[in-house]
Structures are given as structure tokens and as C-alpha cells.
């Protein structure tokens, strides 16, 4: 029965429905896989096994009576540790947060109502603020393709657990690539919904109990297939069908965006293979330079993102940022770039007037992006400039990304390719498209117009099922 763990969630649910396996048995298989991989990966960092076993047994009892609780009835799954789960509050890597009493986050309540068996929480960076997943509370999570490298962040534990077969479904979040980067680094699927489609209530950060929906941030599904993304998103929200026609690749018009930001040649090479595959399948694929002015996008996103991130900093750090505004402005005037410490400080210490200006710039960029979608059904773009990189826990300002051709990129380059969909509130479905020359996964994001989540998911499913999908990492 252990081969069941290699199947996607839809196939595991079919096995449950056909009574090939019980919910209790499937849960125990997942727990055994977790035990087998934990010392190497450290992906799942908290568990509530008693409640999970009780839930699984309840789902089995219902099924024995001919009753199905919901579309996820009896399926075991884990949740990113930035979402509150009753009995397992979101810690976001902070000791003081995990000892709270918490109710299910809004999206978690939907999943539980659908019959899912939630048994564990997956690791994240402190306050979900890094493209690596490590903290002083739970330690470092490793990439199942190469344990010396990061699985990405902030949904890194989620992506690692999915790739390793520990869980068939996950729920993560994204404000700076936190769904997309781990999916690309670990070779799995994710969907960043249109902003506002899925409730953020119960996500930490911000401070527990916050009612306002955070700008830029979204909560979305992660899985090992595109059809599973559709399934979980349909549970998390209304309006996105669980089952729908997949796209006809031969009728698509796709804009391929590969320049304007730094990109490792080994990443570009994998995406060019996808380009050829799509063209051979009949899709019209045209290279585009930049869907929006990138300097304006970067400047606006830096203010919008910094304004959100700064509110989660300790008061002392916020005060220090404001005091450094003048020095940072001088540094920028002397030529420090948009990815420098000075730009970060200006973003985090932005005035309200500066935020209003950035929001206006965002509105113009959204319209420009919408014009591009009058020509193309979707835009396909890289997720990150590089493949999964080695663990680096040095201060942010000293970190660099190394490319296969020997270049050194600023760590902040991780914000480049993900900025369009985030700043402009667009849906983006990330799919694995192959392995780089280094043997590590490469993903792309399928970006659609505002509200076109069903479209990007339909295209993702067509590529997944016709051109190749998830590939499991080497045995761990």
C-alpha cells in the first residue's frame, strides 16, 4: 500500500472511496513516511496525532454508513505553520506565538469541513520573511532533491513534504513568492490566487486576531498535480470549480517572458524546452520583452511590500528604519541600486504619501498588464532567477545568489520575477517543467489576468497531463 503515497491527492481520494484503504491506514502511511524522512528533511515540525486519528476514524465510520463528509473525506494533509489550526496555532517560527489558543483559520475551517484529516504543521522562516525555511524554534528544513540546499520559503516545509510524499496536499501563502519559489525549488505545484479570492483570516503574520486583509498577501493551495490545485482551491473558496475542462493547448496564445530581469542560463534552457513543447502542441508562443515597465514595477512593489513587512517588525526595528531614511535616501542618490539595503530601508520606512504614490503606480501597471492579456491568454515566466541554492543563514545584506555561469546576483533578485503577479493582484499557477543541468527542478509561473484563476489552472492541468508533470526526487 505504500505506493499510494506516490499518487496525487485525487488518486488517493479515489482509493479511499473504493475502500482500497481506510482513512486511518492512509494516515498511518503518511506518518510512517514522515518518520522515514524527518531526520533528513525536517519538513513537518509539529503534529496533533490524537486528534488526527480520531478524525480519520470518524471519516471511516461515516464511509461505512455510506456517507461522505466532503470532497476531501479521509485525506491526510499538513498545513504551513503560518495558518492557525485548532490545537496547533501558527508559530511563524516564533516561540511566543505557538502557545496561544487558536481557532481554525478561515481556509482551514473550509478544509476541515470538507473532511480532510489535518495532522501536522510544516516549517517556515521567522515571520514568513525569507526564501529559506529555518528558525530558532524548529531548525532548518532541507530540499529533498539536495539536502544541502533550501527548499525555498516561506512555504518551504510544505513543498518539501509534498515532494517527498509525506503529504498529498498543502496550504501555503505568498506575499513575496512564498508559494511559487518553494514549488519551483522542490518540483511541485502551487497556485497564487487573485488577491482577495481566499480569506486570510487566521494567517500569522499579521498579529493574531487581525481582521483586515493584508495588501499583497494571499493564501493558496500546493500539490503534486494541477488537478489537485483545482480541487483544494474549490474547497477553500467558492467560484472555482473542482472539475472543469482542461485547456486545449493548440488554441492558446502565450506570451513567454524571459528577459528584463536576471536569469541563470540553466533555468532559461529548461523553459526554452517547454517553449518548444508548447509550440509542437500547436500553441502560439511569442517572446515578449516586458509586460510592464520593470523599473516602475520594482519601485512600486518595494514600497508596497516594505510597508506591509515593516508592520511586523519589532517597534525598535521600525524606529531604526525611520531614523535611517535620510541616509538611505542619500545612498540611493549616490547610485545604490533598487536591491540595495538603502532601497529596502526606504520601502520599510515609507510615508503614507509614498504609499499612495506607489498604489497609484500599481493601478497604472495593472492596466498595462491587462492590455497584455488582450493579446495573450496567459504569460509564462520564470519563478526565480536560479534553482534551489545552498543554505545561507548570514545576514540578508551579505547574501548573494550564484548562477551556473559564475555571476553573483543580489539576494533581493528573488523578488524580481514574482513581482508582477503580486503587485498587480494577478493569479499565478506554478508548475514543474523539468530539471536543470545541475539536476535540480525548475518551475514556471502561468500568470493570468485579474480573476482568471480558472484559466491559469486549466492551462496548468493541460501542460501537466500532456507534456509531463511531477517527478519524484531521488530516494531519501
Amino acid at each position: 500500500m505504500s505506493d499510494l503515497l506516490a499518487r496525487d491527492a485525487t488518486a488517493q481520494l479515489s482509493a479511499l472511496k473504493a475502500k482500497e484503504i481506510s482513512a486511518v491506514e492512509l494516515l498511518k502511511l503518511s506518518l510512517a513516511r514522515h518518520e522515514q524522512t524527518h531526520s533528513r528533511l525536517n519538513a513537518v515540525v509539529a503534529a496533533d496525532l490524537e486528534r488526527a486519528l480520531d478524525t480519520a476514524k470518524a471519516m471511516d465510520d461515516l464511509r461505512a454508513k455510506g456517507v461522505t463528509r466532503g470532497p476531501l473525506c479521509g485525506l491526510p494533509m499538513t498545513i504551513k505553520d503560518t495558518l492557525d489550526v485548532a490545537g496547533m496555532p501558527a508559530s511563524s517560527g516564533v516561540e511566543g506565538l505557538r502557545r496561544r489558543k487558536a481557532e481554525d483559520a478561515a481556509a482551514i475551517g473550509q478544509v476541515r469541513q470538507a473532511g480532510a484529516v489535518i495532522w501536522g504543521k510544516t516549517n517556515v522562516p521567522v515571520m514568513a520573511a525569507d526564501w529559506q525555511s529555518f528558525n530558532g524554534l524548529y531548525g532548518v528544513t532541507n530540499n529533498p532533491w539536495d539536502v544541502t540546499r533550501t527548499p525555498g520559503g516561506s512555504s518551504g516545509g510544505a513543498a518539501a513534504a509534498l515532494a517527498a510524499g509525506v503529504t498529498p496536499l498543502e496550504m501555503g501563502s505568498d506575499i513575496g513568492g512564498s508559494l511559487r519559489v518553494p514549488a519551483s525549488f522542490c518540483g511541485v505545484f502551487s497556485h497564487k490566487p487573485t488577491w482577495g479570492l481566499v480569506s486570510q483570516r487566521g494567517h500569522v503574520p499579521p498579529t493574531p486576531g487581525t481582521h483586515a486583509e493584508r495588501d499583497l498577501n494571499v493564501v493558496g493551495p500546493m500539490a503534486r498535480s494541477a488537478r489537485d490545485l483545482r480541487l483544494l482551491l474549490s474547497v477553500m473558496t467558492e467560484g472555482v470549480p473542482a472539475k472543469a475542462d482542461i485547456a486545449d493547448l493548440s488554441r492558446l496564445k502565450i506570451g513567454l517572458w524571459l528577459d528584463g530581469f536576471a536569469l541563470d542560463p540553466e533555468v532559461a534552457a529548461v523553459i526554452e524546452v517547454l517553449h518548444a513543447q508548447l509550440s509542437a502542441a500547436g500553441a502560439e508562443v511569442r517572446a515578449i520583452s516586458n509586460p510592464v515597465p520593470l523599473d516602475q514595477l520594482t519601485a512600486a512593489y518595494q514600497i508596497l511590500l516594505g510597508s506591509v513587512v515593516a508592520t511586523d517588525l519589532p517597534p525598535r526595528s521600525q524606529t531604526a528604519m525611520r531614523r535611517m531614511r535620510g541616509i538611505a535616501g542619500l545612498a540611493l542618490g549616490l547610485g545604490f541600486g533598487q536591491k540595495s539595503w538603502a532601497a529596502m530601508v526606504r520601502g520599510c520606512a515609507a510615508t503614507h504619501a509614498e504609499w499612495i504614490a506607489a498604489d497609484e503606480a500599481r493601478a497604472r501597471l495593472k492596466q498595462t498588464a491587462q492590455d497584455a492579456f488582450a493579446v495573450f491568454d496567459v504569460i509564462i515566466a520564470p519563478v526565480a532567477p536560479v534553482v534551489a541554492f545552498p543554505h545561507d543563514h548570514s545576514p540578508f545584506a551579505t547574501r548573494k545568489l550564484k548562477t551556473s555561469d559564475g555571476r553573483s546576483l543580489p539576494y533581493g533578485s528573488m523578488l524580481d520575477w514574482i513581482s508582477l503577479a503580486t503587485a498587480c493582484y494577478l493569479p499565478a499557477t506554478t508548475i514543474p517543467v523539468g530539471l536543470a543541468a545541475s539536476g535540480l527542478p525548475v518551475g514556471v509561473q502561468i500568470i493570468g489576468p485579474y480573476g482568471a484563476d480558472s484559466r491559469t489552472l486549466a492551462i496548468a492541468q493541460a501542460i501537466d497531463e500532456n507534456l509531463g508533470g511531477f517527478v519524484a526526487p531521488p530516494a531519501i
Side-chain angles (χ1 to χ4, degrees):
M1 291 193 298
S2 61
D3 68 314
L4 276 171
L5 297 183
R7 304 181 195 179
D8 69 357
T10 300
Q12 290 188 24
L13 285 163
S14 294
L16 285 166
K17 184 176 181 180
K19 298 183 180 179
E20 296 175 25
I21 192 170
S22 70
V24 169
E25 290 170 333
L26 187 55
L27 172 61
K28 289 182 177 179
L29 282 180
S30 294
L31 296 177
R33 180 62 177 156
H34 163 58
E35 289 297 323
Q36 180 186 4
T37 61
H38 182 63
S39 63
R40 297 272 286 164
L41 296 184
N42 191 37
V44 181
V45 291
D48 187 349
L49 302 185
E50 183 177 354
R51 187 185 304 234
L53 285 166
D54 287 345
T55 302
K57 186 177 185 305
M59 296 303 107
D60 285 335
D61 291 343
L62 285 173
R63 183 166 272 118
K65 298 174 183 176
V67 179
T68 300
R69 173 70 175 270
L72 302 180
C73 185
L75 187 76
M77 65 179 292
T78 55
I79 301 294
K80 179 182 180 180
D81 197 26
T82 55
L83 287 155
D84 276 340
V85 173
M88 292 185 290
S91 80
S92 284
V94 178
E95 170 66 27
L97 292 174
R98 76 183 180 106
R99 299 190 181 279
R100 300 174 291 118
K101 289 185 178 180
E103 299 177 350
D104 285 339
I108 301 302
Q110 296 290 96
V111 167
R112 198 184 294 280
Q113 186 64 32
V117 178
I118 300 169
W119 64 269
K121 303 294 290 293
T122 48
N123 206 24
V124 298
V126 175
M127 297 303 285
D130 199 351
W131 299 287
Q132 302 179 67
S133 293
F134 70 95
N135 56 69
L137 181 58
Y138 292 124
V140 179
T141 298
N142 300 320
N143 191 310
W145 286 87
D146 180 348
V147 296
T148 69
R149 296 173 183 261
T150 179
S154 59
S155 309
L162 280 165
V166 173
T167 185
L169 280 183
E170 252 284 356
M171 192 184 298
S173 55
D174 189 313
I175 194 172
S178 290
L179 282 163
R180 290 163 284 171
V181 169
S184 181
F185 281 7
C186 292
V188 297
F189 294 75
S190 73
H191 180 69
K192 187 204 86 65
T194 297
W195 186 84
L197 182 64
V198 178
S199 173
Q200 297 177 42
R201 183 174 58 81
H203 187 276
V204 181
T207 303
T210 297
H211 285 78
E213 296 281 297
R214 276 291 178 91
D215 188 25
L216 305 175
N217 191 45
V218 297
V219 174
M222 303 181 75
R224 286 196 298 271
S225 69
R227 65 180 183 174
D228 284 357
L229 293 179
R230 276 180 147 177
L231 172 63
L232 184 51
L233 188 63
S234 73
V235 170
M236 295 165 68
T237 185
E238 297 179 0
V240 178
K243 293 182 179 180
D245 292 338
I246 68 173
D248 182 347
L249 294 178
S250 68
R251 299 173 65 89
L252 293 179
K253 293 183 178 180
I254 298 171
L256 184 64
W257 174 29
L258 291 179
D259 63 8
F261 288 130
L263 188 64
D264 192 316
E266 72 167 347
V267 174
V270 176
I271 301 175
E272 287 292 0
V273 171
L274 174 66
H275 179 181
Q277 291 175 321
L278 289 168
S279 297
E284 180 184 336
V285 185
R286 288 166 47 192
I288 59 175
S289 53
N290 301 317
V292 299
L294 298 187
D295 57 343
Q296 296 177 32
L297 173 64
T298 299
Y301 181 43
Q302 202 152 49
I303 296 292
L304 297 169
L305 179 63
S307 298
V308 174
V309 171
T311 62
D312 299 318
L313 295 173
R316 184 176 298 179
S317 298
Q318 294 184 37
T319 300
M321 288 282 190
R322 288 191 289 269
R323 287 175 176 170
M324 292 174 65
R325 270 182 57 87
I327 297 173
L330 179 61
L332 290 171
L334 292 173
F336 280 62
Q338 289 183 316
K339 297 179 179 66
S340 66
W341 65 268
M344 181 191 72
V345 167
R346 293 288 285 193
C348 290
T351 64
H352 186 57
E354 288 169 337
W355 187 93
I356 291 293
D359 190 38
E360 173 60 27
R362 184 217 331 247
R364 294 194 302 268
L365 293 166
K366 287 170 68 175
Q367 183 57 57
T368 302
Q370 202 66 22
D371 293 342
F373 292 117
V375 178
F376 301 107
D377 296 305
V378 293
I379 293 171
I380 288 181
V383 171
V386 293
V387 294
F389 51 84
H391 297 295
D392 181 358
H393 301 164
S394 62
F396 262 55
T398 66
R399 297 180 192 174
K400 298 291 183 182
L401 303 172
K402 302 296 183 182
T403 64
S404 62
D405 58 352
R407 286 177 294 153
S408 179
L409 306 177
Y411 194 61
S413 300
M414 292 295 296
L415 286 173
D416 286 346
W417 294 103
I418 58 88
S419 59
L420 174 65
T422 304
C424 295
Y425 293 166
L426 307 179
T429 306
T430 296
I431 61 172
V433 293
L435 301 181
S438 58
L440 296 168
V442 173
V444 296
Q445 50 182 333
I446 303 169
I447 305 170
Y450 182 88
D453 297 72
S454 293
R455 181 190 303 181
T456 65
L457 287 163
I459 293 171
Q461 189 171 352
I463 296 173
D464 178 18
E465 296 181 4
N466 290 285
L467 302 181
F470 171 74
V471 175
I476 300 170

